Amino acid sequence: MKAFGEIWESNLFQKWLMAITGLLLVGFLIGHLSGNLLVFMGPDAINEYAHGLRTMLHGTAIWIVRFGLLASFALHVTSAIKLARRNRAARPSSYNTVEHRASTLASRSMLYSGLLLLTYAIYHLAHFTWGAVHSEFYVKACPPSPECTDCIPDVYAMIVSSFQQPVISVAYVLAMIMVGLHLNHAIASASQTLGLRNRRIVPIVRTVGPLLGILVALGFSSVPLAILAGIVK
Ligand code: HEM
């Protein structure tokens, strides 16, 4: 038991934990982005998709995904904070190499962009999942009635009416730029932790990270921007 505790607390294990949970979250983001882009195909496409997700495996699948996401988020954030604290404690009082300074700056900005993303994720859940903020745009697919046992949100109406408000759209686009910046360095960092330092792999990783960051930021931002421009209504 003590050995397990020591392994769990080791820097190496915490780095692996952060890399693996981070990659799982990237997988979720890519899936979520593909679902969101269905908004361009009209209300039926995205609402049927949302309904399919909620009813898959008699409603169990969405809870498995939610549990996995919550666990990944929690482990990712706690290991990031733990490693940042240890790094700070171990940092020499004077920096003597440019490389050291650059890596500290990159990991520190990852911590801050990550914490901003956590704030965004809570706001986003309160908006689209719980209907606790901007509740005037939380539209149900059918009017409340005792017969309606499957009354899920009208995701299309909810997205369009929310993003017709410039303040909400701008907040989302800023958050998506933050997601892109976080991903920009995340892939390189995870591949280094997982030992992918082969001379042929390194240039690929250095291209994939920033490219993924740009595609994810642009892809997610295209939804509020298209609604604000009146292309999707
Ligand atoms: C413009 C960008 C985005 C839009 C329009 C959007 C839209 C939505 C909508 C409509 C839902 C509710 C789906 C439903 O009730 O069926 C949702 C859920 C969710 N979104 Fe997003 N999303 C965006 C970006 C993101 C990002 C960047 C993240 C991750 C940091 C994220 C994480 C989540 C999570 C965790 C859920 C909850 C899934 C659940 O119901 O358990 N979203 N999103």
Side-chain angles (χ1 to χ4, degrees), residues 89-230:
R91 199 184 303 154
S93 52
S94 67
Y95 296 126
N96 37 21
T97 64
V98 172
E99 199 182 317
H100 182 102
R101 211 177 298 179
S103 71
T104 309
L105 184 69
S107 51
R108 209 184 307 160
S109 67
M110 285 295 280
L111 180 68
Y112 295 141
S113 62
L115 291 176
L116 280 173
L117 276 184
L118 180 65
T119 315
Y120 159 77
I122 295 168
Y123 159 73
H124 180 53
L125 286 178
H127 179 195
F128 282 137
T129 302
W130 306 323
V133 295
H134 314 307
S135 48
E136 63 277 32
F137 309 120
Y138 192 81
V139 198
K140 289 275 185 184
C142 53
S145 82
E147 294 91 59
C148 181
T149 52
D150 188 20
C151 200
I152 68 159
D154 181 340
V155 173
Y156 185 86
M158 201 160 68
I159 291 181
V160 172
S161 56
S162 295
F163 291 141
Q164 278 170 344
Q165 317 305 313
V167 177
I168 303 182
S169 278
V170 169
Y172 268 78
V173 171
L174 290 178
M176 294 313 114
I177 294 173
M178 197 59 70
V179 175
L181 288 175
H182 195 74
L183 287 184
N184 177 36
H185 182 69
I187 303 295
S189 180
S191 63
Q192 207 175 5
T193 300
L194 301 177
L196 302 174
R197 286 173 208 162
N198 181 298
R199 239 192 274 156
R200 254 184 282 159
I201 293 181
V202 169
I204 299 176
V205 166
R206 283 202 183 134
T207 316
V208 168
L211 195 66
L212 190 71
I214 291 171
L215 287 180
V216 166
L218 282 181
F220 274 120
S221 299
S222 69
V223 175
L225 292 177
I227 293 169
L228 214 50

Side-chain angles (χ1 to χ4, degrees), residues 35-46:
N36 281 355
L37 292 178
L38 289 175
V39 86
F40 290 101
M41 294 177 68
D44 290 348
I46 194 158

